[in-house]
Amino acid sequence: MSQSFNEPNRMNDLKKYEIVVQRLEERGVILEDIAQIALDLQIKYLPKLTFELCLEHVKKVVMKREVQHAVLTGLELDILAEKGLLSEPLSEMLLNDYGLYGIDEILALSIVNVYGSIGFTNFGYVDKLKPGIIGKLDKEGKEEGRCNTFLDDIVGAIAAAAASSIAHRFAV
Ligand code: MG
């Protein structure tokens, strides 16, 4: 592909990056929350790892097109569910975070997919322990009229992907 063909796409990705960051903030998540989880995941393997470096890797993950698309899709469904704009039976399943629904995890896997098997392992770990902001989102999602069904998995997946990106970067 020629440079002139690539350039507009790159601009669109930057624009989408800004929208994704803003959308996450509107849902109560800042990239720093995600960086903290990535740091907690990796600090036992890399004792000198800094918060700033984790934040850099979180930003790198969110710059990826497939990640942006997953975030935009998932958050949109959470928001539509809250507004009562989805039809049944999907509406009830999302508003109640129905355990056997499973598409929230599948969508999130498209985020960690970029980073290979270590991404999947980290995601499973985070999904089980619900550290930091994820636990808060999980609790908040149980409140009446609130839907974080996709958001908690998306945040966990970005943290897992960033941790995996760091692990690959410092692999010996
Ligand atoms: Mg979920």
Side-chain angles (χ1 to χ4, degrees), residues 36-82:
Q36 187 59 53
I37 298 172
L39 179 65
D40 293 341
L41 277 172
Q42 283 304 312
I43 195 77
K44 47 188 174 288
Y45 309 110
L46 301 163
K48 287 182 181 158
L49 185 62
T50 63
F51 178 80
E52 285 69 30
L53 191 81
C54 291
L55 186 58
E56 245 173 65
H57 281 262
V58 167
K59 288 178 178 171
K60 199 180 107 185
V61 168
V62 179
M63 277 300 292
K64 288 203 171 287
R65 192 176 309 156
E66 47 271 80
V67 174
Q68 294 170 352
H69 293 171
V71 176
L72 292 174
T73 306
L75 295 199
E76 197 74 15
L77 284 165
D78 279 350
I79 293 165
L80 290 174
E82 282 180 5

mmCIF file of all heavy atoms in Angstrom, residues 36-82:
data_model
loop_
_atom_site.group_PDB
_atom_site.id
_atom_site.type_symbol
_atom_site.label_atom_id
_atom_site.label_comp_id
_atom_site.label_asym_id
_atom_site.label_seq_id
_atom_site.Cartn_x
_atom_site.Cartn_y
_atom_site.Cartn_z
ATOM 1 N N GLN A 36 -2.823 0.929 36.088
ATOM 2 C CA GLN A 36 -2.579 0.422 37.441
ATOM 3 C C GLN A 36 -2.756 -1.099 37.489
ATOM 4 O O GLN A 36 -1.978 -1.815 38.134
ATOM 5 C CB GLN A 36 -3.524 1.111 38.444
ATOM 6 C CG GLN A 36 -3.237 0.764 39.901
ATOM 7 C CD GLN A 36 -1.813 1.140 40.327
ATOM 8 O OE1 GLN A 36 -1.393 2.280 40.140
ATOM 9 N NE2 GLN A 36 -1.067 0.180 40.877
ATOM 10 N N ILE A 37 -3.769 -1.605 36.794
ATOM 11 C CA ILE A 37 -4.001 -3.056 36.766
ATOM 12 C C ILE A 37 -2.851 -3.758 36.023
ATOM 13 O O ILE A 37 -2.345 -4.793 36.466
ATOM 14 C CB ILE A 37 -5.352 -3.392 36.094
ATOM 15 C CG1 ILE A 37 -6.495 -2.769 36.899
ATOM 16 C CG2 ILE A 37 -5.547 -4.901 35.989
ATOM 17 C CD1 ILE A 37 -7.853 -2.871 36.216
ATOM 18 N N ALA A 38 -2.427 -3.155 34.901
ATOM 19 C CA ALA A 38 -1.313 -3.729 34.135
ATOM 20 C C ALA A 38 -0.049 -3.774 34.992
ATOM 21 O O ALA A 38 0.688 -4.768 34.978
ATOM 22 C CB ALA A 38 -1.076 -2.914 32.865
ATOM 23 N N LEU A 39 0.171 -2.706 35.762
ATOM 24 C CA LEU A 39 1.345 -2.652 36.655
ATOM 25 C C LEU A 39 1.271 -3.768 37.695
ATOM 26 O O LEU A 39 2.246 -4.495 37.911
ATOM 27 C CB LEU A 39 1.412 -1.277 37.337
ATOM 28 C CG LEU A 39 2.565 -1.056 38.332
ATOM 29 C CD1 LEU A 39 3.921 -1.103 37.623
ATOM 30 C CD2 LEU A 39 2.419 0.271 39.062
ATOM 31 N N ASP A 40 0.107 -3.925 38.327
ATOM 32 C CA ASP A 40 -0.063 -4.964 39.344
ATOM 33 C C ASP A 40 0.148 -6.364 38.760
ATOM 34 O O ASP A 40 0.632 -7.264 39.441
ATOM 35 C CB ASP A 40 -1.463 -4.868 39.978
ATOM 36 C CG ASP A 40 -1.624 -3.584 40.791
ATOM 37 O OD1 ASP A 40 -0.598 -2.977 41.164
ATOM 38 O OD2 ASP A 40 -2.786 -3.181 41.051
ATOM 39 N N LEU A 41 -0.230 -6.529 37.490
ATOM 40 C CA LEU A 41 -0.077 -7.836 36.835
ATOM 41 C C LEU A 41 1.390 -8.167 36.566
ATOM 42 O O LEU A 41 1.796 -9.325 36.633
ATOM 43 C CB LEU A 41 -0.825 -7.851 35.497
ATOM 44 C CG LEU A 41 -2.331 -8.135 35.497
ATOM 45 C CD1 LEU A 41 -2.891 -7.907 34.102
ATOM 46 C CD2 LEU A 41 -2.619 -9.555 35.968
ATOM 47 N N GLN A 42 2.183 -7.146 36.238
ATOM 48 C CA GLN A 42 3.552 -7.391 35.769
ATOM 49 C C GLN A 42 4.653 -7.131 36.796
ATOM 50 O O GLN A 42 5.775 -7.592 36.614
ATOM 51 C CB GLN A 42 3.820 -6.534 34.521
ATOM 52 C CG GLN A 42 3.198 -7.063 33.254
ATOM 53 C CD GLN A 42 3.620 -8.483 32.927
ATOM 54 O OE1 GLN A 42 4.790 -8.814 32.961
ATOM 55 N NE2 GLN A 42 2.654 -9.339 32.636
ATOM 56 N N ILE A 43 4.328 -6.426 37.888
ATOM 57 C CA ILE A 43 5.386 -5.987 38.807
ATOM 58 C C ILE A 43 6.127 -7.169 39.444
ATOM 59 O O ILE A 43 7.315 -7.083 39.753
ATOM 60 C CB ILE A 43 4.815 -5.011 39.880
ATOM 61 C CG1 ILE A 43 5.929 -4.257 40.614
ATOM 62 C CG2 ILE A 43 3.921 -5.719 40.884
ATOM 63 C CD1 ILE A 43 6.546 -3.132 39.836
ATOM 64 N N LYS A 44 5.424 -8.302 39.594
ATOM 65 C CA LYS A 44 6.101 -9.444 40.216
ATOM 66 C C LYS A 44 7.153 -10.071 39.295
ATOM 67 O O LYS A 44 8.075 -10.722 39.752
ATOM 68 C CB LYS A 44 5.102 -10.496 40.709
ATOM 69 C CG LYS A 44 4.021 -10.892 39.754
ATOM 70 C CD LYS A 44 2.997 -11.798 40.473
ATOM 71 C CE LYS A 44 1.803 -12.138 39.628
ATOM 72 N NZ LYS A 44 0.859 -10.999 39.423
ATOM 73 N N TYR A 45 7.004 -9.835 37.990
ATOM 74 C CA TYR A 45 7.996 -10.347 37.033
ATOM 75 C C TYR A 45 9.049 -9.300 36.697
ATOM 76 O O TYR A 45 10.177 -9.627 36.332
ATOM 77 C CB TYR A 45 7.302 -10.787 35.739
ATOM 78 C CG TYR A 45 6.146 -11.721 35.978
ATOM 79 C CD1 TYR A 45 4.826 -11.314 35.769
ATOM 80 C CD2 TYR A 45 6.374 -13.014 36.447
ATOM 81 C CE1 TYR A 45 3.766 -12.161 36.017
ATOM 82 C CE2 TYR A 45 5.312 -13.875 36.697
ATOM 83 C CZ TYR A 45 4.001 -13.446 36.477
ATOM 84 O OH TYR A 45 2.959 -14.278 36.727
ATOM 85 N N LEU A 46 8.652 -8.016 36.775
ATOM 86 C CA LEU A 46 9.546 -6.904 36.427
ATOM 87 C C LEU A 46 9.516 -5.875 37.553
ATOM 88 O O LEU A 46 8.787 -4.887 37.492
ATOM 89 C CB LEU A 46 9.095 -6.250 35.118
ATOM 90 C CG LEU A 46 9.035 -7.134 33.865
ATOM 91 C CD1 LEU A 46 8.188 -6.484 32.777
ATOM 92 C CD2 LEU A 46 10.432 -7.419 33.341
ATOM 93 N N PRO A 47 10.305 -6.109 38.616
ATOM 94 C CA PRO A 47 10.232 -5.256 39.818
ATOM 95 C C PRO A 47 10.513 -3.774 39.552
ATOM 96 O O PRO A 47 10.093 -2.929 40.339
ATOM 97 C CB PRO A 47 11.296 -5.849 40.743
ATOM 98 C CG PRO A 47 11.559 -7.221 40.222
ATOM 99 C CD PRO A 47 11.283 -7.200 38.751
ATOM 100 N N LYS A 48 11.235 -3.465 38.464
ATOM 101 C CA LYS A 48 11.565 -2.054 38.203
ATOM 102 C C LYS A 48 10.550 -1.372 37.287
ATOM 103 O O LYS A 48 10.731 -0.213 36.898
ATOM 104 C CB LYS A 48 12.961 -1.944 37.584
ATOM 105 C CG LYS A 48 14.066 -2.209 38.587
ATOM 106 C CD LYS A 48 15.433 -2.050 37.966
ATOM 107 C CE LYS A 48 16.517 -2.359 38.996
ATOM 108 N NZ LYS A 48 17.776 -2.728 38.318
ATOM 109 N N LEU A 49 9.499 -2.085 36.941
ATOM 110 C CA LEU A 49 8.473 -1.540 36.046
ATOM 111 C C LEU A 49 7.820 -0.301 36.673
ATOM 112 O O LEU A 49 7.539 -0.282 37.872
ATOM 113 C CB LEU A 49 7.405 -2.622 35.806
ATOM 114 C CG LEU A 49 6.296 -2.303 34.814
ATOM 115 C CD1 LEU A 49 6.865 -2.062 33.427
ATOM 116 C CD2 LEU A 49 5.292 -3.462 34.775
ATOM 117 N N THR A 50 7.603 0.728 35.856
ATOM 118 C CA THR A 50 6.999 1.960 36.378
ATOM 119 C C THR A 50 5.559 2.115 35.879
ATOM 120 O O THR A 50 5.182 1.542 34.843
ATOM 121 C CB THR A 50 7.785 3.213 35.922
ATOM 122 O OG1 THR A 50 7.715 3.299 34.495
ATOM 123 C CG2 THR A 50 9.221 3.162 36.387
ATOM 124 N N PHE A 51 4.819 2.918 36.603
ATOM 125 C CA PHE A 51 3.443 3.240 36.229
ATOM 126 C C PHE A 51 3.418 3.928 34.859
ATOM 127 O O PHE A 51 2.568 3.637 34.025
ATOM 128 C CB PHE A 51 2.825 4.140 37.304
ATOM 129 C CG PHE A 51 1.426 4.575 36.983
ATOM 130 C CD1 PHE A 51 0.351 3.735 37.207
ATOM 131 C CD2 PHE A 51 1.191 5.836 36.437
ATOM 132 C CE1 PHE A 51 -0.939 4.139 36.900
ATOM 133 C CE2 PHE A 51 -0.093 6.245 36.126
ATOM 134 C CZ PHE A 51 -1.159 5.395 36.368
ATOM 135 N N GLU A 52 4.368 4.828 34.639
ATOM 136 C CA GLU A 52 4.425 5.590 33.380
ATOM 137 C C GLU A 52 4.581 4.659 32.180
ATOM 138 O O GLU A 52 3.939 4.845 31.147
ATOM 139 C CB GLU A 52 5.583 6.602 33.405
ATOM 140 C CG GLU A 52 5.327 7.830 34.271
ATOM 141 C CD GLU A 52 5.283 7.502 35.760
ATOM 142 O OE1 GLU A 52 5.967 6.543 36.197
ATOM 143 O OE2 GLU A 52 4.528 8.186 36.494
ATOM 144 N N LEU A 53 5.419 3.649 32.333
ATOM 145 C CA LEU A 53 5.640 2.709 31.227
ATOM 146 C C LEU A 53 4.354 1.902 30.961
ATOM 147 O O LEU A 53 3.994 1.648 29.809
ATOM 148 C CB LEU A 53 6.806 1.767 31.523
ATOM 149 C CG LEU A 53 7.229 0.961 30.303
ATOM 150 C CD1 LEU A 53 8.125 1.783 29.389
ATOM 151 C CD2 LEU A 53 7.908 -0.333 30.688
ATOM 152 N N CYS A 54 3.673 1.536 32.033
ATOM 153 C CA CYS A 54 2.406 0.797 31.886
ATOM 154 C C CYS A 54 1.386 1.657 31.142
ATOM 155 O O CYS A 54 0.680 1.171 30.257
ATOM 156 C CB CYS A 54 1.863 0.386 33.243
ATOM 157 S SG CYS A 54 2.856 -0.874 34.034
ATOM 158 N N LEU A 55 1.334 2.934 31.500
ATOM 159 C CA LEU A 55 0.400 3.851 30.843
ATOM 160 C C LEU A 55 0.724 3.979 29.356
ATOM 161 O O LEU A 55 -0.179 4.011 28.512
ATOM 162 C CB LEU A 55 0.443 5.219 31.537
ATOM 163 C CG LEU A 55 -0.573 6.261 31.069
ATOM 164 C CD1 LEU A 55 -2.005 5.759 31.221
ATOM 165 C CD2 LEU A 55 -0.402 7.568 31.846
ATOM 166 N N GLU A 56 2.013 4.017 29.039
ATOM 167 C CA GLU A 56 2.448 4.064 27.641
ATOM 168 C C GLU A 56 1.935 2.852 26.863
ATOM 169 O O GLU A 56 1.459 2.982 25.734
ATOM 170 C CB GLU A 56 3.980 4.033 27.591
ATOM 171 C CG GLU A 56 4.630 5.281 27.041
ATOM 172 C CD GLU A 56 6.133 5.194 27.205
ATOM 173 O OE1 GLU A 56 6.747 4.317 26.570
ATOM 174 O OE2 GLU A 56 6.671 5.985 28.008
ATOM 175 N N HIS A 57 2.031 1.679 27.479
ATOM 176 C CA HIS A 57 1.582 0.451 26.808
ATOM 177 C C HIS A 57 0.060 0.399 26.698
ATOM 178 O O HIS A 57 -0.466 -0.113 25.716
ATOM 179 C CB HIS A 57 2.143 -0.789 27.512
ATOM 180 C CG HIS A 57 3.569 -1.069 27.144
ATOM 181 N ND1 HIS A 57 3.929 -1.984 26.188
ATOM 182 C CD2 HIS A 57 4.723 -0.507 27.571
ATOM 183 C CE1 HIS A 57 5.252 -1.986 26.056
ATOM 184 N NE2 HIS A 57 5.753 -1.101 26.893
ATOM 185 N N VAL A 58 -0.639 0.934 27.698
ATOM 186 C CA VAL A 58 -2.108 1.010 27.608
ATOM 187 C C VAL A 58 -2.489 1.880 26.418
ATOM 188 O O VAL A 58 -3.365 1.521 25.621
ATOM 189 C CB VAL A 58 -2.714 1.568 28.922
ATOM 190 C CG1 VAL A 58 -4.178 1.941 28.727
ATOM 191 C CG2 VAL A 58 -2.575 0.559 30.050
ATOM 192 N N LYS A 59 -1.798 3.011 26.259
ATOM 193 C CA LYS A 59 -2.080 3.916 25.133
ATOM 194 C C LYS A 59 -1.785 3.228 23.808
ATOM 195 O O LYS A 59 -2.532 3.390 22.841
ATOM 196 C CB LYS A 59 -1.254 5.205 25.272
ATOM 197 C CG LYS A 59 -1.751 6.101 26.393
ATOM 198 C CD LYS A 59 -0.894 7.342 26.547
ATOM 199 C CE LYS A 59 -1.460 8.240 27.653
ATOM 200 N NZ LYS A 59 -0.549 9.352 27.979
ATOM 201 N N LYS A 60 -0.715 2.461 23.778
ATOM 202 C CA LYS A 60 -0.340 1.729 22.567
ATOM 203 C C LYS A 60 -1.435 0.711 22.198
ATOM 204 O O LYS A 60 -1.794 0.568 21.025
ATOM 205 C CB LYS A 60 0.993 1.001 22.822
ATOM 206 C CG LYS A 60 1.726 0.579 21.570
ATOM 207 C CD LYS A 60 3.035 -0.123 21.904
ATOM 208 C CE LYS A 60 2.917 -1.601 21.638
ATOM 209 N NZ LYS A 60 4.097 -2.379 22.052
ATOM 210 N N VAL A 61 -1.975 0.044 23.206
ATOM 211 C CA VAL A 61 -3.055 -0.935 22.968
ATOM 212 C C VAL A 61 -4.280 -0.222 22.398
ATOM 213 O O VAL A 61 -4.882 -0.675 21.422
ATOM 214 C CB VAL A 61 -3.404 -1.684 24.282
ATOM 215 C CG1 VAL A 61 -4.687 -2.483 24.130
ATOM 216 C CG2 VAL A 61 -2.255 -2.600 24.700
ATOM 217 N N VAL A 62 -4.633 0.924 22.996
ATOM 218 C CA VAL A 62 -5.842 1.645 22.583
ATOM 219 C C VAL A 62 -5.659 2.301 21.205
ATOM 220 O O VAL A 62 -6.629 2.645 20.546
ATOM 221 C CB VAL A 62 -6.259 2.673 23.668
ATOM 222 C CG1 VAL A 62 -7.493 3.465 23.260
ATOM 223 C CG2 VAL A 62 -6.532 1.962 24.989
ATOM 224 N N MET A 63 -4.419 2.436 20.761
ATOM 225 C CA MET A 63 -4.162 2.955 19.412
ATOM 226 C C MET A 63 -4.501 1.930 18.331
ATOM 227 O O MET A 63 -4.648 2.262 17.169
ATOM 228 C CB MET A 63 -2.687 3.350 19.262
ATOM 229 C CG MET A 63 -2.322 4.723 19.788
ATOM 230 S SD MET A 63 -3.206 6.079 18.994
ATOM 231 C CE MET A 63 -2.510 6.005 17.343
ATOM 232 N N LYS A 64 -4.617 0.665 18.719
ATOM 233 C CA LYS A 64 -4.866 -0.389 17.729
ATOM 234 C C LYS A 64 -6.315 -0.386 17.265
ATOM 235 O O LYS A 64 -7.247 -0.310 18.065
ATOM 236 C CB LYS A 64 -4.519 -1.770 18.314
ATOM 237 C CG LYS A 64 -3.034 -1.984 18.466
ATOM 238 C CD LYS A 64 -2.694 -3.456 18.494
ATOM 239 C CE LYS A 64 -1.200 -3.682 18.427
ATOM 240 N NZ LYS A 64 -0.607 -3.418 17.115
ATOM 241 N N ARG A 65 -6.460 -0.497 15.968
ATOM 242 C CA ARG A 65 -7.783 -0.389 15.351
ATOM 243 C C ARG A 65 -8.761 -1.442 15.873
ATOM 244 O O ARG A 65 -9.893 -1.126 16.215
ATOM 245 C CB ARG A 65 -7.651 -0.485 13.835
ATOM 246 C CG ARG A 65 -8.905 -0.090 13.097
ATOM 247 C CD ARG A 65 -8.671 -0.113 11.607
ATOM 248 N NE ARG A 65 -7.467 0.652 11.279
ATOM 249 C CZ ARG A 65 -6.737 0.457 10.182
ATOM 250 N NH1 ARG A 65 -7.062 -0.479 9.325
ATOM 251 N NH2 ARG A 65 -5.673 1.202 9.949
ATOM 252 N N GLU A 66 -8.324 -2.709 15.957
ATOM 253 C CA GLU A 66 -9.250 -3.764 16.389
ATOM 254 C C GLU A 66 -9.689 -3.550 17.840
ATOM 255 O O GLU A 66 -10.801 -3.903 18.211
ATOM 256 C CB GLU A 66 -8.686 -5.169 16.161
ATOM 257 C CG GLU A 66 -7.264 -5.413 16.620
ATOM 258 C CD GLU A 66 -6.238 -5.092 15.542
ATOM 259 O OE1 GLU A 66 -5.928 -3.891 15.360
ATOM 260 O OE2 GLU A 66 -5.729 -6.030 14.904
ATOM 261 N N VAL A 67 -8.797 -2.938 18.632
ATOM 262 C CA VAL A 67 -9.138 -2.633 20.024
ATOM 263 C C VAL A 67 -10.190 -1.522 20.073
ATOM 264 O O VAL A 67 -11.189 -1.611 20.789
ATOM 265 C CB VAL A 67 -7.871 -2.230 20.821
ATOM 266 C CG1 VAL A 67 -8.219 -1.761 22.226
ATOM 267 C CG2 VAL A 67 -6.883 -3.396 20.862
ATOM 268 N N GLN A 68 -9.960 -0.484 19.270
ATOM 269 C CA GLN A 68 -10.913 0.635 19.213
ATOM 270 C C GLN A 68 -12.293 0.149 18.796
ATOM 271 O O GLN A 68 -13.308 0.545 19.377
ATOM 272 C CB GLN A 68 -10.415 1.690 18.228
ATOM 273 C CG GLN A 68 -9.129 2.355 18.679
ATOM 274 C CD GLN A 68 -8.505 3.218 17.598
ATOM 275 O OE1 GLN A 68 -8.951 3.209 16.455
ATOM 276 N NE2 GLN A 68 -7.477 3.958 17.958
ATOM 277 N N HIS A 69 -12.333 -0.734 17.816
ATOM 278 C CA HIS A 69 -13.626 -1.226 17.322
ATOM 279 C C HIS A 69 -14.351 -2.034 18.390
ATOM 280 O O HIS A 69 -15.572 -1.925 18.557
ATOM 281 C CB HIS A 69 -13.428 -2.053 16.046
ATOM 282 C CG HIS A 69 -12.953 -1.220 14.894
ATOM 283 N ND1 HIS A 69 -12.543 -1.741 13.700
ATOM 284 C CD2 HIS A 69 -12.818 0.128 14.765
ATOM 285 C CE1 HIS A 69 -12.177 -0.759 12.887
ATOM 286 N NE2 HIS A 69 -12.329 0.376 13.519
ATOM 287 N N ALA A 70 -13.599 -2.840 19.138
ATOM 288 C CA ALA A 70 -14.197 -3.639 20.222
ATOM 289 C C ALA A 70 -14.754 -2.719 21.307
ATOM 290 O O ALA A 70 -15.875 -2.926 21.794
ATOM 291 C CB ALA A 70 -13.155 -4.598 20.805
ATOM 292 N N VAL A 71 -13.989 -1.682 21.682
ATOM 293 C CA VAL A 71 -14.438 -0.755 22.732
ATOM 294 C C VAL A 71 -15.708 -0.024 22.277
ATOM 295 O O VAL A 71 -16.697 0.042 23.018
ATOM 296 C CB VAL A 71 -13.340 0.279 23.096
ATOM 297 C CG1 VAL A 71 -13.862 1.288 24.117
ATOM 298 C CG2 VAL A 71 -12.095 -0.420 23.636
ATOM 299 N N LEU A 72 -15.683 0.501 21.058
ATOM 300 C CA LEU A 72 -16.834 1.261 20.559
ATOM 301 C C LEU A 72 -18.090 0.391 20.514
ATOM 302 O O LEU A 72 -19.180 0.822 20.907
ATOM 303 C CB LEU A 72 -16.537 1.830 19.165
ATOM 304 C CG LEU A 72 -15.466 2.929 19.111
ATOM 305 C CD1 LEU A 72 -15.154 3.304 17.675
ATOM 306 C CD2 LEU A 72 -15.906 4.158 19.903
ATOM 307 N N THR A 73 -17.939 -0.844 20.075
ATOM 308 C CA THR A 73 -19.087 -1.756 19.963
ATOM 309 C C THR A 73 -19.647 -2.117 21.339
ATOM 310 O O THR A 73 -20.849 -2.019 21.583
ATOM 311 C CB THR A 73 -18.671 -3.047 19.220
ATOM 312 O OG1 THR A 73 -18.089 -2.698 17.975
ATOM 313 C CG2 THR A 73 -19.863 -3.955 18.992
ATOM 314 N N GLY A 74 -18.756 -2.495 22.242
ATOM 315 C CA GLY A 74 -19.191 -2.929 23.579
ATOM 316 C C GLY A 74 -19.846 -1.811 24.368
ATOM 317 O O GLY A 74 -20.928 -1.991 24.942
ATOM 318 N N LEU A 75 -19.193 -0.641 24.376
ATOM 319 C CA LEU A 75 -19.745 0.478 25.159
ATOM 320 C C LEU A 75 -21.086 0.934 24.593
ATOM 321 O O LEU A 75 -21.993 1.309 25.346
ATOM 322 C CB LEU A 75 -18.761 1.655 25.217
ATOM 323 C CG LEU A 75 -17.440 1.409 25.946
ATOM 324 C CD1 LEU A 75 -16.789 2.710 26.342
ATOM 325 C CD2 LEU A 75 -17.616 0.523 27.158
ATOM 326 N N GLU A 76 -21.205 0.885 23.279
ATOM 327 C CA GLU A 76 -22.474 1.274 22.648
ATOM 328 C C GLU A 76 -23.613 0.374 23.129
ATOM 329 O O GLU A 76 -24.712 0.849 23.426
ATOM 330 C CB GLU A 76 -22.328 1.172 21.120
ATOM 331 C CG GLU A 76 -23.400 1.910 20.342
ATOM 332 C CD GLU A 76 -23.212 3.425 20.367
ATOM 333 O OE1 GLU A 76 -22.136 3.913 20.726
ATOM 334 O OE2 GLU A 76 -24.190 4.123 20.042
ATOM 335 N N LEU A 77 -23.346 -0.920 23.223
ATOM 336 C CA LEU A 77 -24.379 -1.865 23.663
ATOM 337 C C LEU A 77 -24.761 -1.624 25.129
ATOM 338 O O LEU A 77 -25.945 -1.662 25.481
ATOM 339 C CB LEU A 77 -23.907 -3.308 23.443
ATOM 340 C CG LEU A 77 -23.963 -3.758 21.978
ATOM 341 C CD1 LEU A 77 -23.161 -5.040 21.767
ATOM 342 C CD2 LEU A 77 -25.414 -3.956 21.520
ATOM 343 N N ASP A 78 -23.759 -1.344 25.980
ATOM 344 C CA ASP A 78 -24.042 -1.012 27.387
ATOM 345 C C ASP A 78 -24.948 0.227 27.469
ATOM 346 O O ASP A 78 -25.927 0.256 28.223
ATOM 347 C CB ASP A 78 -22.744 -0.703 28.146
ATOM 348 C CG ASP A 78 -21.996 -1.970 28.587
ATOM 349 O OD1 ASP A 78 -22.567 -3.069 28.471
ATOM 350 O OD2 ASP A 78 -20.843 -1.827 29.051
ATOM 351 N N ILE A 79 -24.603 1.242 26.693
ATOM 352 C CA ILE A 79 -25.341 2.513 26.727
ATOM 353 C C ILE A 79 -26.762 2.333 26.201
ATOM 354 O O ILE A 79 -27.725 2.814 26.807
ATOM 355 C CB ILE A 79 -24.575 3.599 25.916
ATOM 356 C CG1 ILE A 79 -23.247 3.942 26.617
ATOM 357 C CG2 ILE A 79 -25.426 4.861 25.747
ATOM 358 C CD1 ILE A 79 -22.251 4.707 25.741
ATOM 359 N N LEU A 80 -26.900 1.603 25.098
ATOM 360 C CA LEU A 80 -28.234 1.361 24.531
ATOM 361 C C LEU A 80 -29.096 0.561 25.507
ATOM 362 O O LEU A 80 -30.301 0.820 25.644
ATOM 363 C CB LEU A 80 -28.119 0.631 23.184
ATOM 364 C CG LEU A 80 -27.541 1.448 22.023
ATOM 365 C CD1 LEU A 80 -27.334 0.569 20.799
ATOM 366 C CD2 LEU A 80 -28.441 2.631 21.681
ATOM 367 N N ALA A 81 -28.478 -0.381 26.204
ATOM 368 C CA ALA A 81 -29.215 -1.177 27.201
ATOM 369 C C ALA A 81 -29.739 -0.264 28.310
ATOM 370 O O ALA A 81 -30.909 -0.351 28.702
ATOM 371 C CB ALA A 81 -28.321 -2.268 27.778
ATOM 372 N N GLU A 82 -28.869 0.622 28.806
ATOM 373 C CA GLU A 82 -29.282 1.563 29.862
ATOM 374 C C GLU A 82 -30.427 2.469 29.408
ATOM 375 O O GLU A 82 -31.303 2.824 30.187
ATOM 376 C CB GLU A 82 -28.094 2.440 30.293
ATOM 377 C CG GLU A 82 -27.132 1.725 31.202
ATOM 378 C CD GLU A 82 -25.966 2.602 31.624
ATOM 379 O OE1 GLU A 82 -25.944 3.806 31.288
ATOM 380 O OE2 GLU A 82 -25.064 2.067 32.292
#
